[in-house]
Amino acid sequence: MTASPLLSIENLSVYHGQFRALTNVSITLGAGEVVSIIGANGAGKSSLLKTIVGQVDRTEGAIRFEGADLRGTHTADIVRSGVALVPEGRRLFPSLTVEENLEIGWEVGRRGDIGFDDVYRFFPVLKEKRRQLSRELSGGQQQMVAVGRALLANPKLMLCDEISLGLAPTIIKDLYQIIPTVRDRGISILVVEQDISRSLAVADRFYCLLEGRVNLSGRPADVTHDTVVKHYFGL
Amino acid sequence: MTHFLTTSYSVFVGRLLLACGIVFLATGPFLLDASGMQVMTEFMLMLVLALMWNLLAGYADIVTIGQHAFVGVGAYAFFGFLVFGEWNPYLSVLMAGAVAMLLAVPVMVIIFRLRTAYLAVGSWVVAETLMLCAGKLSAFGGGSGISMPVSAVKQFGARIGERYAHIYWLALVLLAVVFISTWLLMRSAVGLGLTAMRDNEDGAGAVGVNLTRSRVLCFLWTAPFLGLAGALITLQKLRVAPPASFSITEWTVYIIFIVLIGGVGSFEGPVIGGIVFFLLREYLAEVGVWHFIVLGPISIVIILIEPRGLWGLLRRFVPGDLIPVSYTPSALKGTKTEKARSLAASTSDVLSQS
Amino acid sequence: MVEIWTNQILQGVLLGGLYALFAIGLSLSVGVMRFVNIAHGDLIVMISFVLLSLTGGLGLPTLAAVAIVIPISFVGGYLLQRLLLQRVLGKDVLSIILVTFGLSIVIQNALQGVYGADIRKVGGGAIETATIPLSGNINVGVLPLVIFISATLLIWLLDLLLYRSRIGARIRAVSDSVATADLVGLRSARIYAIAMAIVGATMAISAGFMAIWTNFDPTSGPSRLLIAFEAVVLGGLGNLWGTLIGGIIIGVAQAVGAQFDAAWQVLAGHIVFLAIFLTRPQGLFPKY
């Protein structure tokens, strides 16, 4: 897309002990792009995200963020260099209030133009509940806090890991609605999802993973739903 | 081929040394003078305490800083039955073990409500409380303690040499019983379960090992042996007194050093640690408190570098346990499988050549 | 009769203030870092000896000496966590217990090597003997009162710090989950070290008061640790105000025990602790 992509993953292989979770995966993501990674359970989507944020030890290949190899960098430093993660299962700090959870994203991140007002405008319910402990929130509201926390870090790249998992359709809609807005503010997004249609609807490009390999990639408009489904299930 | 030979050679040498040690212990009174016998008796009793602390910390995941409680209770019980009850001396020794075991039940009820470091400090609180209680027993001389009457002492031998030998044999029997029975325990289903727990807590639960029951069993297992050791220690010291009989320094701190230096979670560890400790003590005795200051950093460095102690270091070069238990220290697993693989490789080399 | 008991209980409450001071740092490290520092008491005693050197050796006024020692202990706590404790925190529980235990032994014996085994005390001046008569035979010592108020103030401040400040929120975040903290870019090792630095500062404050009010010697650490531990467990792990109540309970138990017989003072504290612990193992005001 661009001459030097924001994130470029080249021939990445990842091992968990003896098990090879990813094989020769190559993915690029340009500035201002929304890229979606789809794949069934166990296809290697989570391994991919974990590897990007430095949570996996044994890897081969390269992961470059703004040209710098991320491998061997401590998670906290990767995050501070402008990669924010909305982790699977939310992973809020349960004994912190909503506001405190958001503040941690803001303080740790780079200063930018997304502020608390923006997050509260995206998710008005959070403003009402900002003094409550995050563990007292519903699953959907917790997911909003997790997204808000990542946004407040004003990252260059936001990684979203299964943000729709276990949530009601209306809430998923609310969450996905902000993706184009966020992209327009200059943040690139990597969306990892099991839900094909939801994920392809917001993506500029996509990659489909099967058993740790990319078996299909392109623009959502260029492929039929049928093709995607076939590759998704490896039929 | 040579690799194969040298490595099993080291196990052989190790076992040979172990056998020599056993022979030496079994012939001690014929070889040693009175002071030598005293040192060896002390060594054997410390080894008993070390084996017990190791059983709890190294296998059952119970780290206590209160094991001196049972030693002290054993000492006081023994003294009471022998001097005030005028019981048979051997029976008095056994009663020390029985009382310690009885007391282990309420102690367990208290400290098993705590976990990990809380349990460690909790056991210390209990030990401190028991020591203070012992200081309130006016018949036992209160806080300053009481010496054993000569008549009671003489039941274990009229002359000093005879008595030392007698105590030596008792300590040897105790050590042998503790060593063999604990080894058998570790090779039983209980030991297997604890091994599984150390390697993988979920796994052990999944195969239906009742961890709580195993931990309870181990805790109750150690108490009588600690009490018996307390009785024999009293026979050596010839008096009971709260700070001496319940000495945290001697019966817990030293013991932790021994196990730590030698290697926690193995049978070789306490033995090696005990020998090293006694050697160090002989040579560092004149430097006073400073030998602790040497021991302290040594043990901290050991935890940071090789948590399995000296035996852990040796075990990198020795392919097998000298005293095999089903348990494999998890820290060593990697090296062990590698060793096994290289062993297999060298064997297949030999086969293909022939 | 009633007057004697009232007096004794009052003295016990004030003594509880000192015990709470010992325990605050431990409560913080238990609540935040989820580990018991077995060298806690020995570190306090070590700081007391440093105060002894500053006041006795260099002739500094006690207050000035404490003022010097607080920042030193703050930095010391930071370094202790960074250089030693952090290395074993992620390992098995045995390691962290044994490292702090080893540290405890090192400190005790180093102090004995440097200062000898004598029992010591730091002079506090006129405040030591000053009393406020309340009614009849009931007198309140000014020093114990100052200590009790300091303990309350310190807990109030730490509570504010922990629940109303940015660093407090970060400390609680790391305490919730180190792994999640890493994922959002918090430097957990540094935050733990800051928490331990705060613990160090509280140790210096309690060392200052302890050195003036009570005798100490190189082996006093463990008894301070046990009392601090009891206060923390009684109050409920991680609850700072609970720790104050826990300290008061131990203090009152000791004072009442001492009224029966001076030799029963310490034992009474332990027995009351064990009795309450058996009925409420989670502590009186559990937080988790």
Side-chain angles (χ1 to χ4, degrees):
Chain A
M1 211 182 154
T2 36
S4 150
L6 183 67
L7 177 76
S8 87
I9 295 171
E10 292 154 25
N11 293 321
L12 180 73
S13 296
V14 170
Y15 301 85
H16 300 308
Q18 302 287 330
F19 172 68
R20 187 155 65 177
L22 292 176
T23 311
N24 285 329
V25 169
S26 295
I27 285 171
T28 59
L29 185 146
E33 250 193 321
V34 176
V35 169
S36 164
I37 310 281
I38 54 174
N41 238 336
K45 302 188 302 296
S46 285
S47 296
L48 180 66
L49 285 193
K50 275 189 185 148
T51 312
I52 295 174
V53 294
Q55 300 257 295
V56 180
D57 293 334
R58 280 190 64 205
T59 60
E60 286 163 10
I63 309 165
R64 293 211 177 78
F65 179 66
E66 296 188 304
D69 196 347
L70 290 184
R71 291 193 310 147
T73 313
H74 188 265
T75 302
D77 295 322
I78 294 175
V79 172
R80 280 165 179 255
S81 71
V83 180
L85 174 67
V86 182
E88 189 182 349
R90 277 82 82 172
R91 299 188 67 169
L92 301 180
F93 299 108
S95 64
L96 267 60
T97 63
V98 169
E99 199 167 34
E100 284 171 335
N101 267 288
L102 294 174
E103 270 168 359
I104 282 188
W106 172 253
E107 287 163 20
V108 168
R110 309 163 330 119
R111 290 292 179 270
D113 57 276
I114 294 185
F116 286 81
D117 288 345
D118 296 294
V119 171
Y120 290 146
R121 201 169 50 243
F122 291 147
F123 309 118
V125 63
L126 296 188
K127 188 167 190 178
E128 284 166 39
K129 306 216 165 189
R130 65 183 188 279
R131 303 239 182 272
Q132 279 190 32
L133 291 181
S134 63
R135 62 163 170 254
E136 293 164 359
L137 266 53
S138 71
Q141 291 162 351
Q142 288 192 9
Q143 189 62 276
M144 290 172 189
V145 178
V147 171
R149 184 174 67 184
L151 285 176
L152 280 167
N154 282 287
K156 294 169 195 158
L157 170 63
M158 185 161 90
L159 312 172
C160 298
D161 196 354
E162 309 269 12
I163 52 174
S164 68
L165 205 68
L167 299 180
T170 54
I171 291 168
I172 298 175
K173 209 178 115 220
D174 285 350
L175 287 166
Y176 268 89
Q177 238 165 19
I178 69 155
I179 286 182
T181 322
V182 169
R183 192 249 315 267
D184 292 345
R185 306 285 282 264
I187 297 174
S188 309
I189 303 171
L190 190 67
V191 181
V192 165
E193 262 302 345
Q194 279 191 57
D195 184 335
I196 303 175
S197 46
R198 184 83 59 192
S199 159
L200 293 190
V202 294
D204 298 317
R205 290 187 301 117
F206 75 95
Y207 294 85
C208 181
L209 284 178
L210 180 73
E211 291 170 353
R213 295 168 193 268
V214 175
N215 68 350
L216 182 71
S217 64
R219 296 173 171 280
D222 299 345
V223 288
T224 61
H225 187 76
D226 235 28
T227 319
V228 176
V229 170
K230 272 188 181 159
H231 283 83
Y232 183 98
F233 290 108
L235 301 171
Chain B
M1 187 74 197
T2 42
H3 177 65
F4 180 71
L5 271 181
T6 44
T7 44
S8 35
Y9 180 67
S10 60
V11 174
F12 175 73
V13 169
R15 293 203 175 136
L16 196 68
L17 284 172
L18 202 65
C20 290
I22 293 167
V23 171
F24 173 69
L25 284 181
T27 52
F30 309 110
L31 305 172
L32 296 164
D33 62 358
S35 74
M37 263 193 286
Q38 257 201 317
V39 171
M40 286 313 294
T41 306
E42 209 184 321
F43 170 78
M44 290 189 287
L45 293 174
M46 292 293 260
L47 192 51
V48 168
L49 302 186
L51 285 166
M52 293 298 93
W53 193 82
N54 179 50
L55 171 65
L56 294 185
Y59 294 92
D61 206 17
I62 304 168
V63 186
T64 78
I65 309 180
Q67 114 163 351
H68 52 289
F70 295 112
V71 178
V73 165
Y76 271 72
F78 166 69
F79 191 97
F81 284 109
L82 183 74
V83 176
F84 304 131
E86 294 180 356
W87 284 35
N88 172 292
Y90 298 105
L91 204 55
S92 302
V93 172
L94 289 177
M95 285 309 289
V99 171
M101 190 156 120
L102 265 181
L103 197 81
V105 176
V107 168
M108 198 174 65
V109 169
I110 295 172
I111 69 170
F112 269 45
R113 294 178 177 217
L114 297 160
R115 282 293 286 149
T116 64
Y118 307 105
L119 188 150
V121 183
S123 70
W124 195 349
V125 170
V126 171
E128 190 76 9
T129 309
L130 287 171
M131 183 189 82
L132 290 169
C133 287
K136 302 286 171 252
L137 302 171
S138 49
F140 291 84
S144 46
I146 185 170
S147 292
M148 274 174 81
V150 178
S151 59
V153 177
K154 289 224 161 134
Q155 289 180 281
F156 288 90
R159 289 182 306 105
I160 279 196
E162 192 186 324
R163 196 165 65 237
Y164 281 175
H166 200 158
I167 301 169
Y168 182 100
W169 290 123
L170 288 174
L172 183 63
V173 169
L174 177 63
L175 176 61
V177 170
V178 166
F179 204 105
I180 294 168
S181 65
T182 307
W183 182 67
L184 289 174
L185 175 73
M186 279 303 103
R187 290 178 71 94
S188 72
V190 172
L192 281 171
L194 291 172
T195 305
M197 171 177 81
R198 281 301 297 258
D199 292 349
N200 180 353
E201 190 137 359
D202 306 326
V207 296
V209 177
N210 189 332
L211 293 177
T212 312
R213 199 190 299 156
S214 298
R215 296 173 77 233
V216 165
L217 177 71
C218 284
F219 191 79
L220 294 179
W221 184 276
T222 60
F225 292 130
L226 295 171
L228 289 169
L232 298 187
I233 285 165
T234 308
L235 262 179
Q236 270 210 309
K237 306 220 165 195
L238 298 177
R239 60 180 282 112
V240 288
S245 299
F246 289 82
S247 169
I248 180 171
T249 309
E250 287 187 81
W251 318 136
T252 298
V253 177
Y254 282 157
I255 298 304
I256 293 178
F257 279 140
I258 288 175
V259 178
L260 211 58
I261 290 171
V264 65
S266 70
F267 272 72
E268 294 86 350
V271 176
I272 295 171
I275 295 168
V276 170
F277 178 81
F278 268 74
L279 289 176
L280 274 180
R281 205 181 63 166
E282 292 302 305
Y283 289 106
L284 292 174
E286 58 256 46
V287 289
V289 294
W290 294 101
H291 78 268
F292 266 118
I293 305 177
V294 178
L295 282 174
I298 287 179
S299 55
I300 291 177
V301 167
I302 284 178
I303 296 163
L304 294 177
I305 294 170
E306 175 50 77
R308 300 288 161 189
L310 285 176
W311 178 239
L313 280 177
L314 285 174
R315 194 63 176 68
R316 295 178 182 183
F317 308 104
V318 182
D321 288 325
L322 305 183
I323 307 157
V325 195
S326 52
Y327 174 67
T328 317
S330 44
L332 293 166
K333 262 192 183 156
T335 38
K336 195 182 179 186
T337 42
E338 270 165 42
K339 280 271 162 56
R341 219 177 289 131
S342 68
L343 264 178
S346 60
T347 331
S348 63
D349 279 354
V350 173
L351 286 175
S352 59
Q353 274 159 23
S354 62
Chain C
M1 193 63 198
V2 175
E3 205 170 56
I4 291 174
W5 285 106
T6 314
N7 184 45
Q8 209 58 15
I9 287 169
L10 188 62
Q11 305 305 332
V13 170
L14 294 179
L15 184 61
L18 181 69
Y19 291 165
L21 267 180
F22 291 154
I24 289 170
L26 193 70
S27 182
L28 211 56
S29 57
V30 160
V32 173
M33 286 164 278
R34 310 276 158 89
F35 79 90
V36 180
N37 175 10
I38 290 170
H40 182 79
D42 302 291
L43 287 165
I44 292 176
V45 171
M46 183 174 78
I47 300 170
S48 299
F49 271 101
V50 172
L51 287 171
L52 185 75
S53 290
L54 289 176
T55 54
L58 298 177
L60 286 176
T62 309
L63 212 58
V66 175
I68 292 172
V69 160
I70 290 174
I72 295 175
S73 306
F74 185 85
V75 175
Y78 187 94
L79 294 176
L80 178 68
Q81 179 69 30
R82 210 65 212 259
L83 301 178
L84 183 65
L85 302 180
Q86 191 67 36
R87 287 169 199 273
V88 284
L89 211 54
K91 286 196 190 179
D92 54 327
V93 287
L94 185 67
S95 297
I96 187 77
I97 297 173
L98 294 181
V99 161
T100 57
F101 187 65
L103 186 66
S104 148
I105 303 297
V106 172
I107 293 172
Q108 279 177 45
N109 291 281
L111 288 177
Q112 220 162 82
V114 174
Y115 292 95
D118 296 345
I119 293 172
R120 308 297 188 108
K121 198 171 164 303
V122 170
I127 194 174
E128 278 186 64
T129 47
T131 56
I132 304 166
L134 283 187
S135 76
N137 288 327
I138 301 179
N139 291 305
V140 171
V142 172
L143 180 61
L145 193 64
V146 168
I147 291 175
F148 187 86
I149 292 168
S150 305
T152 316
L153 266 175
L154 191 60
I155 288 174
W156 180 70
L157 276 174
L158 285 175
D159 210 53
L160 274 186
L161 181 83
L162 213 50
Y163 290 95
R164 294 279 177 276
S165 77
R166 284 181 174 187
I167 183 64
R170 290 181 184 203
I171 289 173
R172 280 181 291 131
V174 175
S175 168
D176 272 350
S177 163
V178 173
T180 307
D182 283 343
L183 282 182
V184 301
L186 288 175
R187 296 202 165 98
S188 49
R190 226 183 98 209
I191 292 167
Y192 266 168
I194 291 171
M196 199 61 198
I198 297 168
V199 170
T202 70
M203 281 176 175
I205 295 168
S206 52
F209 284 123
M210 182 194 87
I212 305 173
W213 196 10
T214 68
N215 296 325
F216 58 93
D217 67 75
T219 58
S220 301
S223 64
R224 305 298 190 273
L225 167 74
L226 294 189
I227 287 174
F229 174 80
E230 290 173 345
V232 170
V233 172
L234 276 189
L237 299 183
N239 185 341
L240 289 172
W241 289 107
T243 299
L244 178 64
I245 307 288
I248 291 173
I249 291 172
I250 305 289
V252 171
Q254 288 196 353
V256 170
Q259 182 61 29
F260 287 108
D261 176 353
W264 279 87
Q265 183 180 352
V266 180
L267 185 55
H270 290 320
I271 289 173
V272 167
F273 162 73
L274 290 175
I276 300 178
F277 175 70
L278 271 176
T279 44
R280 271 189 82 87
Q282 74 278 36
L284 297 170
F285 312 99
K287 192 134 203 170
Y288 304 115

